[in-house]
Amino acid sequence: MEAAILILALLFVAFVALGVYVSVKVIGAAKRGVERTVTQARRTVEETTLRAKSYGQGGVVGELAQLRLSLRTSMRATQDALHAGEAEDASLSESIGLFQRLSAHGHELDDELKRLEREPDRATVASLLPGLRERTERITRSAESLRWAARDRARKFADDDLDALSTQIDVEAGALRHWSEAAEPQVPAASWPEAGGTGGAGGGVDGGGDRGVAEQTWPEAGVGPGQTVAEQPQAITAPDPRQQTSYPWQKTARPETTN
């Protein structure tokens, strides 16, 4: 009895622990999803504000917003391109490491531009714009170099794979179109035997020398050499009706009756 109670208690504790673990995992996943959604929404609002400032306002504020927008757009495009190709090309891990180092400089510049947007001394900010513009161009140029290198590498791999696939398809298509008909052995035609008692090409059966080939004649059954059918002796015995072949269309002979 005590063993059964102990087992039930252990099962209860195991179920409680499992429920707590699942709850923590679900809450963590929901929290990460909410944070991701909030971050994406904040990013969208911020980029929309930057576009509005870059197009709607002029002067120092508009140029700062344009620099921030250009920097963020280039860095995000490079990040997406590198992470998209990482699953298929493991050699991009080094490029991702370089991009992370570049991202540190990008975030630092973005924070500085964001602070300068709230700076009331516009003259000082204007004097800093050439250096800020140069830093932005250097970072975006490096990001674009990584991005296009990754894209060119992926396209090269795709072209090589397509070339190999096209070659295999051409070979297979050639094999499917290749067929050979087995040469049938030519059997020579059987030669007809020479007709008995006839001459060569110059003589005929009835003495006709103008016929090129003598016609072959088959002897009649029961005809001896030098005799015709009329000269053969006729049989004097009546034919045996049992040896005659009967056909279905022949009528059966009726027996004679006496009156």
Side-chain angles (χ1 to χ4, degrees), residues 145-158:
S145 179
L146 283 176
R147 182 171 69 251
W148 285 109
R151 290 177 178 175
D152 292 341
R153 182 180 179 87
R155 185 169 61 252
K156 177 61 177 176
F157 286 163

Side-chain angles (χ1 to χ4, degrees), residues 13-23:
V13 172
F15 280 118
V16 170
L18 181 61
V20 172
Y21 176 78
V22 172
S23 300

Side-chain angles (χ1 to χ4, degrees), residues 67 109 129-139 141:
L67 290 177
L109 178 59
L129 279 178
L132 296 173
R133 191 182 302 111
E134 182 182 358
R135 287 176 60 188
T136 304
E137 290 178 355
R138 290 179 61 185
I139 294 176
R141 191 183 306 115

Side-chain angles (χ1 to χ4, degrees), residues 13-219:
V13 172
F15 280 118
V16 170
L18 181 61
V20 172
Y21 176 78
V22 172
S23 300
V24 170
K25 287 294 184 180
V26 170
I27 292 174
K31 184 178 179 180
R32 287 191 298 270
V34 171
E35 291 178 352
R36 191 182 303 112
T37 303
V38 171
T39 303
Q40 186 175 1
R42 185 185 299 113
R43 183 186 304 165
T44 302
V45 172
E46 191 172 2
E47 290 182 356
T48 304
T49 305
L50 289 176
R51 287 190 179 91
K53 289 181 179 180
S54 61
Y55 294 127
Q57 296 183 6
V60 178
V61 177
E63 190 166 357
L64 289 175
Q66 188 174 0
L67 290 177
R68 288 190 64 194
L69 184 62
S70 175
L71 177 64
R72 295 165 68 93
T73 303
S74 179
M75 297 297 288
R76 185 175 301 110
T78 304
Q79 180 180 357
D80 294 341
L82 292 177
H83 286 291
E86 183 183 10
E88 300 178 357
D89 189 1
S91 61
L92 290 178
S93 58
E94 185 176 355
S95 300
I96 293 176
L98 293 175
F99 175 74
Q100 290 176 355
R101 294 173 57 187
L102 183 64
S103 296
H105 293 278
H107 286 297
E108 182 181 356
L109 178 59
D110 184 67
D111 294 338
E112 184 176 356
L113 292 173
K114 188 176 181 179
R115 287 193 303 268
L116 291 176
E117 287 180 354
R118 299 187 296 267
E119 178 63 40
D121 190 359
R122 301 302 182 187
T124 304
V125 176
S127 64
L128 297 176
L129 279 178
L132 296 173
R133 191 182 302 111
E134 182 182 358
R135 287 176 60 188
T136 304
E137 290 178 355
R138 290 179 61 185
I139 294 176
T140 55
R141 191 183 306 115
S142 299
E144 290 175 357
S145 179
L146 283 176
R147 182 171 69 251
W148 285 109
R151 290 177 178 175
D152 292 341
R153 182 180 179 87
R155 185 169 61 252
K156 177 61 177 176
F157 286 163
D159 292 341
D160 293 343
D161 184 68
L162 181 59
D163 292 339
L165 180 60
S166 299
T167 302
Q168 294 178 1
I169 290 176
D170 292 339
V171 172
E172 182 65 19
L176 291 175
R177 291 193 180 96
H178 180 72
W179 61 85
S180 59
E181 297 180 356
E184 297 181 357
Q186 296 182 357
V187 180
S191 59
W192 294 93
E194 293 290 340
T198 58
V205 177
D206 296 332
D210 55 345
R211 304 181 65 178
V213 181
E215 295 180 357
Q216 183 175 359
T217 58
W218 299 93

